Amino acid sequence: MKDHAPRASDRTVRLEEYAPFPWIVGDVSLTFRLHPTATRVLSRITFAPNPAAPSGPFFLHGEKLKLIEASIDGAPVSPTITDEGLTCDVPGTPFVFEAEVEIDPSGNTALDGLYMSGGMYCTQCEAEGFRKITFYPDRPDVMAPFNVRIEGPEDAPLPVMLSNGNPGAQEGNSAEWHDPWPKPSYLFALVAGDLVAKSGTFTTASGMPVALNVYVRPGDEDRCDYALDSLIRSMRWDEQEYAREYDLSVFSIVAVDDFNMGAMENKGLNIFNSKYVLASPDTATDVDFEMIEGIVAHEYFHNWTGNRVTCRDWFQLCLKEGLTVFRDQQFSGDMRSEPVKRIDDVLALRARQFREDNGPLAHPVRPESYIEINNFYTATVYEKGAEVIGMLRRLVGAEAYRAALDLYFERHDGQACTIEDWLKVFEDATGRDLSQFKLWYSQAGTPRVEVSEEWDEEAGRLALTFRQHTPPTPGQPDKAPLVIPIALGLLDAGGNEIMATEVVELTEAEQRVEIGLGTGDADLASDAPRVPGRPVPSILRGFSAPVILQRQTSAEERAFLLAHDTDPFNKWEAGRALARDVLVRMVTEGAEADPHYLSALEMVAKDDALDPAFRALALSLPSQDDLAQAIHDGGATPEPTAIWAALRRLAEEIGGTLEPVLSRLYDEMRVPGPYTPDAESAGARALRGAALAYLSRVDGGSRAAAQFAEAGNMTEQLGALGALLRIGKGEEELAAFRRRWEGDRLVMDKWFALQAASASPAEAHDVALRLTGDPAFDWTNPNRFRSVIGALTGNVAAFHEPEGRIYRLVTDWLIRLDPVNPQTAARLTTAFETWKRFDADRQGMIRENLERLSAVDGLSRDTSEMVGRILA
Ligand code: BES
Ligand code: ZN
């Protein structure tokens, strides 16, 4: 174990210890004298005592800064400097603090603060990167307007120099920017380099023109159109749906190759991982286009939910992230197919959030303590945070939701807020008491909702009894009942809808609901007359709450709902549950692929009235990880290799049994004409791709090879290559793909990721060695690291291959990456979060590797917190 003394910076930060900053920042002026290894940052900040806060020592955050000089009201001072910041004696009256510091952007491999990417200067300040730029109260509740002056290096002028806000004087080698909107330092941004823009304009609803730019490196300008169009759609949507207008004369997006996250909502100057900006039909897949649209929207929507109204402290992160994810999900549902979007979101929630919530890293949507805040940008804060807002909207209704949001923006514009502020606007707007609902923010764990049914034939009445319980999570042994909205529908034996969807609100540990048939529709009144014949309930429609529904259901009933449910989510869910049960039996009992499942699937595939995108989803099988989770939940120990083999066996069965309909679909779903990324074409391609993947299991790969050779777009090319790799073919195609795309880093990431993701358990180690030894594997770039190491850990059977070689290889790479880029290393440790599901041998090997990682001398705070929690 670690033998070095704990560092002061490793201490735990607690929500209950929040205290306001004792000063108010009036305004901030920054001058940057850019230099690759010795950038000078001059700051001038006005401070005044904060009457609303008890006085305290004057402390400014600052890390890895070389202080050149500092002054207060013009008089030089010599502050005390530690690893974490600066303290200094200051007057009890307003004063001006000035400092000059030197930083080294090119040595900044952590990509946090000011760094360089491909010769360009850029920043990432959320959550606590600004303190690596200059001394400052780097906390979200300190908000101020910023003036920024950027001076390019004399010997190498930079054509583009950007910061937040509106442009000021732009001279030969300098640029000034003024951001009038008070903002926290985490929203600061600076970009400078040789960039070109694809530009547009947007006129706001109140007639203000906004110049829009998507900045990229020269050569990439023909891959920006989709991002720019997505931005315009986002701006229009936020005006229409939330009455939110943009508030500066410029809005820019910059694409950066080296970026830890997906994208960042800096005020007026969003910075993106280039993977979520650059797209052309030949280099980006349908999924890439969809992601770009969603992420551009997400970051744009933050302008109101995050920037104008920000977070008081990082415990309130879900205030901006959960809400903004909810908004981007609504947007994508409106732009594309709402039910398909909902299914995709639930798939992601289950894959990432349920996994987190049911393991050692479980934490509440609003955590109560952290060591490193970057470790809390999690699926729980984001995805469960969004689900909580969805439930709130379902409970109060769409209109009251909008009224509450209007009130939120009106009341809190320019403020740094808490979840209490958020819930209060709902209480004030609706008169509802949300104290029990608030538990969703403080109680971790995925609630289980057990439903049992009683049918009273004589009375013609159906009674449903709901029992909820939430299993213990780290630090939270006992759980209270939550408010759970359950959307409920009823079908008669002929598959007709006999009750419009109703929302039942669970608030107790156990609750009984009676359903009868009134004169018209069925209703929930207990005195209602009889339902003719036993009805089939459709429970948790639209996935109305982020819970695990536990219900003893027959395969027949699932097949019935798959055929008849009018709620698209539950229709899909019935098929998914059927597939999961079949697979679990194949894995644990060595059962054969169930013919009833195959015929139910065939019926869906054949149903041309169904949206192709929906059919593609219905045809997809649960993931290896889903099955491991399901088997673990059932009280057994998942065997990854057996899961992998069962999935392959079922896919072969489907390919064989459904061959006629799949080959019809493969032919009919061909999208003619030039590629367009719209939802309809993408849906057809997705269904065609699903058909191809199954057919390849039985046609020796002939269709896939032909498709690969002819493909006119990346979706079809990559789909064909994936289908070939999964049947152990495609060697020539892989080589051809590489030759064609060698110079394109984003496409090469797909080449890496596809191989890592489709490696069989037996070949995983060889594949991993080959990929990590490839000259194109630039592991210091987060996208590349994730495309190999991340994809490998996502391939459950490969990651858990029985000899434990991949555990060792992944750990070795994390040890190598940690000192270079702790944030990215720490994130990837989540590969191990499910380790307690597996057998003793695997657990032993994983423990050994985690302990080896934990013992590394000088291990980052980021990684050591994660490993500590996973092992605990
Ligand atoms: N504010 C975040 C970016 C961020 C994340 C900064 C973590 C610092 C640490 C941004 O709005 C965001 O949420 N980005 C997501 C994508 C989004 C569509 C959910 C991301 O980067 O993954
Ligand atoms: Zn966000």
Side-chain angles (χ1 to χ4, degrees):
M1 294 260 73
K2 232 191 263 196
D3 50 8
H4 55 265
R7 292 158 289 197
S9 59
D10 284 0
R11 74 172 164 264
T12 301
V13 183
R14 290 177 208 285
L15 169 57
E16 65 199 17
E17 289 169 7
Y18 171 81
F21 187 59
W23 282 269
I24 289 169
V25 174
D27 59 32
V28 179
S29 295
L30 302 172
T31 298
F32 287 81
R33 302 206 169 120
L34 296 176
H35 182 280
T37 57
T39 288
R40 289 288 171 99
V41 185
L42 288 73
S43 58
R44 183 184 186 281
I45 309 164
T46 62
F47 290 96
N50 181 353
S55 62
F58 182 71
F59 172 77
L60 300 180
H61 295 106
E63 285 175 19
K64 300 194 170 115
L65 305 175
K66 184 166 145 201
L67 181 63
I68 306 298
E69 58 187 23
S71 68
I72 288 181
D73 291 331
V77 290
S78 307
T80 307
I81 298 193
T82 67
D83 283 354
E84 291 175 76
L86 150 174
T87 48
C88 177
D89 290 331
V90 297
T93 50
F95 61 92
V96 178
F97 173 86
E98 286 171 283
E100 178 168 352
V101 303
E102 189 177 295
I103 53 181
D104 173 12
S106 64
N108 182 353
T109 59
L111 315 181
D112 188 33
L114 178 67
Y115 65 94
M116 304 209 66
S117 173
M120 141 191 175
Y121 294 82
C122 61
T123 55
Q124 170 56 37
C125 292
E126 188 178 4
E128 300 181 333
F130 193 72
R131 61 190 63 182
K132 296 177 170 177
I133 292 175
T134 193
F135 290 104
Y136 195 77
D138 189 14
R139 40 185 291 167
D141 59 345
V142 173
M143 300 173 79
F146 279 59
N147 292 298
V148 174
R149 178 181 165 81
I150 310 169
E151 299 174 2
E154 242 132 71
D155 50 337
L158 301 164
V160 172
M161 296 193 283
L162 309 170
S163 189
N164 315 90
N166 295 316
Q170 314 273 317
E171 277 145 29
N173 199 20
S174 73
E176 293 183 7
W177 292 85
H178 173 63
D179 184 1
W181 300 103
K183 68 166 176 292
S185 51
Y186 83 84
L187 292 173
F188 170 81
L190 179 150
V191 169
D194 184 12
L195 294 163
V196 289
K198 165 92 196 172
S199 303
T201 52
F202 181 83
T203 305
T204 66
S206 37
M208 291 283 299
V210 183
L212 310 178
N213 305 295
V214 178
Y215 286 100
V216 295
R217 298 211 303 211
D220 286 338
E221 51 274 51
D222 53 346
R223 296 199 205 175
C224 309
D225 288 349
Y226 195 73
L228 184 60
D229 291 348
S230 300
L231 175 60
I232 293 169
R233 287 196 292 279
S234 308
M235 296 176 88
R236 195 176 302 128
W237 186 90
D238 213 15
E239 290 186 344
Q240 284 167 357
E241 301 300 320
Y242 282 86
R244 296 298 109 200
E245 288 186 26
Y246 188 60
D247 52 8
L248 292 167
S249 65
V250 194
F251 186 92
S252 298
I253 288 175
V254 182
V256 173
D257 283 340
D258 301 273
F259 200 75
N260 284 334
M261 302 295 298
M264 177 64 207
E265 72 265 25
N266 317 296
K267 184 75 185 191
L269 181 55
N270 290 1
I271 299 181
F272 274 57
N273 188 321
S274 53
K275 141 189 189 117
Y276 296 123
V277 174
L278 303 178
S280 61
D282 55 335
T283 61
T285 63
D286 288 327
V287 173
D288 292 327
F289 279 96
E290 188 178 344
M291 296 284 286
I292 289 169
E293 180 176 61
I295 298 183
V296 165
H298 177 98
E299 305 310 338
Y300 175 73
F301 296 157
H302 268 313
N303 191 55
W304 275 94
T305 51
N307 301 5
R308 289 286 286 261
V309 182
T310 195
C311 301
R312 187 192 71 174
D313 53 67
W314 292 121
F315 296 104
Q316 321 296 330
L317 185 58
C318 65
L319 181 73
K320 73 175 178 85
E321 294 301 348
L323 177 54
T324 305
V325 169
F326 180 69
R327 277 152 49 72
D328 83 52
Q329 291 175 345
Q330 285 184 306
F331 167 79
S332 297
D334 284 355
M335 295 299 116
R336 292 160 179 264
S337 151
E338 199 179 306
V340 167
K341 174 65 180 158
R342 184 63 186 144
I343 294 167
D344 278 334
D345 289 340
V346 174
L347 275 167
L349 181 82
R350 286 178 173 156
R352 308 196 320 120
Q353 202 279 324
F354 281 20
R355 166 179 158 121
E356 181 167 80
D357 227 0
N358 290 281
L361 298 177
H363 58 274
V365 170
R366 179 168 70 176
E368 272 145 36
S369 70
Y370 61 77
I371 293 174
E372 170 52 62
I373 185 55
N374 281 313
N375 290 333
F376 284 85
Y377 285 74
T378 59
T380 297
V381 169
Y382 275 66
E383 268 90 59
K384 190 175 179 181
E387 289 300 317
V388 170
I389 291 171
M391 285 190 287
L392 202 47
R393 184 169 181 273
R394 219 161 277 125
L395 291 168
V396 303
E399 251 174 68
Y401 168 82
R402 259 309 308 277
L405 268 105
D406 288 346
L407 182 59
Y408 177 66
F409 295 123
E410 186 193 310
R411 189 183 279 177
H412 296 296
D413 187 11
Q415 296 179 5
C417 295
T418 61
I419 289 305
E420 283 72 17
D421 296 325
W422 163 255
L423 290 175
K424 186 75 165 64
V425 298
F426 278 84
E427 296 196 319
D428 292 353
T430 66
R432 259 183 102 104
D433 174 359
L434 292 173
S435 44
Q436 187 186 2
F437 185 82
K438 194 180 172 193
L439 285 172
W440 279 107
Y441 287 97
S442 57
Q443 195 166 281
T446 310
R448 282 18 182 207
V449 176
E450 226 183 279
V451 198
S452 57
E453 244 173 274
E454 285 160 68
W455 166 240
D456 183 340
E457 178 74 54
E458 226 146 83
R461 210 168 291 144
L462 183 73
L464 297 176
T465 304
F466 294 91
R467 285 183 201 84
Q468 59 159 303
H469 87 278
T470 305
T473 54
Q476 291 188 340
D478 304 309
K479 311 282 184 174
L482 296 156
V483 181
I484 302 179
I486 304 273
L488 203 62
L490 215 54
L491 302 170
D492 69 15
N496 306 300
E497 190 86 359
I498 47 174
M499 183 182 84
T501 305
E502 298 243 9
V503 178
V504 175
E505 250 179 81
L506 306 184
T507 55
E508 312 284 329
E510 181 172 330
Q511 224 161 306
R512 190 179 148 93
V513 177
E514 290 203 0
I515 308 167
L517 191 65
T519 37
D521 294 329
D523 60 38
L524 299 176
S526 54
D527 58 347
R530 43 181 295 132
V531 175
R534 179 168 191 149
V536 178
S538 166
I539 305 173
L540 205 68
R541 284 187 156 177
F543 201 67
S544 59
V547 301
I548 294 175
L549 190 67
Q550 296 178 328
R551 179 157 174 253
Q552 298 309 321
T553 319
S554 62
E556 287 70 35
E557 188 168 317
R558 287 196 162 129
F560 174 87
L561 288 171
L562 174 59
H564 301 295
D565 205 326
T566 54
D567 178 71
F569 177 82
N570 267 7
K571 184 181 178 74
W572 169 82
E573 177 82 326
R576 166 73 33 153
L578 212 47
R580 191 195 53 218
D581 293 353
V582 166
L583 280 158
V584 168
R585 267 183 283 117
M586 289 173 73
V587 176
T588 57
E589 299 162 23
E592 291 298 308
D594 187 334
H596 294 103
Y597 168 66
L598 294 173
S599 54
L601 199 63
E602 182 173 18
M603 181 198 67
V604 174
K606 275 185 174 159
D607 186 349
D608 290 325
L610 292 171
D611 176 6
F614 176 90
R615 275 189 279 169
L617 280 171
L619 280 172
S620 76
L621 296 177
S623 69
Q624 298 183 54
D625 199 58
D626 289 340
L627 294 170
Q629 160 93 49
I631 291 167
H632 173 74
D633 281 353
T637 302
E639 171 49 48
T641 316
I643 291 174
W644 179 83
L647 275 165
R648 198 175 61 168
R649 201 146 57 81
L650 183 57
E652 282 164 6
E653 285 280 343
I654 293 173
T657 314
L658 273 64
E659 206 270 341
V661 59
L662 292 173
S663 71
R664 167 174 78 81
L665 288 175
Y666 185 70
D667 295 336
E668 287 179 7
M669 290 295 140
R670 179 193 295 275
V671 183
Y675 175 93
T676 55
D678 61 283
E680 208 191 19
S681 318
R685 279 188 294 264
L687 182 52
R688 185 165 193 253
L692 177 67
Y694 287 123
L695 289 167
S696 303
R697 305 272 178 185
V698 292
D699 73 0
S702 56
R703 287 182 184 84
Q707 176 171 316
F708 181 87
E710 293 156 14
N713 61 68
M714 183 51 71
T715 307
E716 286 168 352
Q717 188 165 57
L718 203 67
L721 187 56
L724 289 170
L725 294 189
R726 282 188 298 271
I727 57 166
K729 302 205 166 165
E731 209 160 309
E732 264 171 48
E733 285 81 0
L734 263 181
F737 189 96
R738 192 204 171 106
R739 278 195 304 277
R740 163 124 196 241
W741 297 112
E742 193 122 45
D744 190 305
R745 304 212 275 165
L746 294 178
V747 180
M748 280 303 286
D749 284 342
K750 300 182 194 300
W751 183 85
F752 277 117
L754 195 61
Q755 294 178 73
S758 53
S760 71
E763 68 190 1
H765 191 243
D766 289 342
V767 170
L769 289 179
R770 181 165 53 75
L771 298 181
T772 53
D774 192 294
F777 179 60
D778 168 13
W779 60 272
T780 62
N781 175 277
N783 290 358
R784 225 112 304 132
F785 193 93
R786 283 188 289 254
S787 71
V788 176
I789 305 298
L792 203 54
T793 64
N795 178 346
V796 177
F799 182 48
H800 294 280
E801 64 81 32
E803 290 176 50
R805 288 169 298 180
I806 305 295
Y807 301 148
R808 206 168 333 116
L809 180 138
V810 168
T811 306
D812 289 345
W813 277 105
L814 292 179
I815 290 172
R816 192 157 177 193
L817 182 64
D818 183 69
V820 170
N821 187 333
Q823 276 182 38
T824 296
R827 274 187 170 264
L828 282 154
T829 62
T830 55
F832 292 107
E833 78 183 314
T834 55
W835 70 297
K836 290 274 173 77
R837 285 178 190 167
F838 299 99
D839 55 88
D841 271 1
R842 286 189 169 90
Q843 285 195 31
M845 293 188 286
I846 294 175
R847 174 182 289 283
E848 213 173 278
N849 281 290
L850 287 174
E851 286 176 348
R852 184 161 68 89
L853 177 56
S854 165
V856 166
D857 201 25
L859 190 70
S860 68
R861 170 171 68 193
D862 310 59
T863 303
S864 83
E865 179 185 27
M866 293 298 283
V867 178
R869 287 165 61 209
I870 294 170
L871 277 172

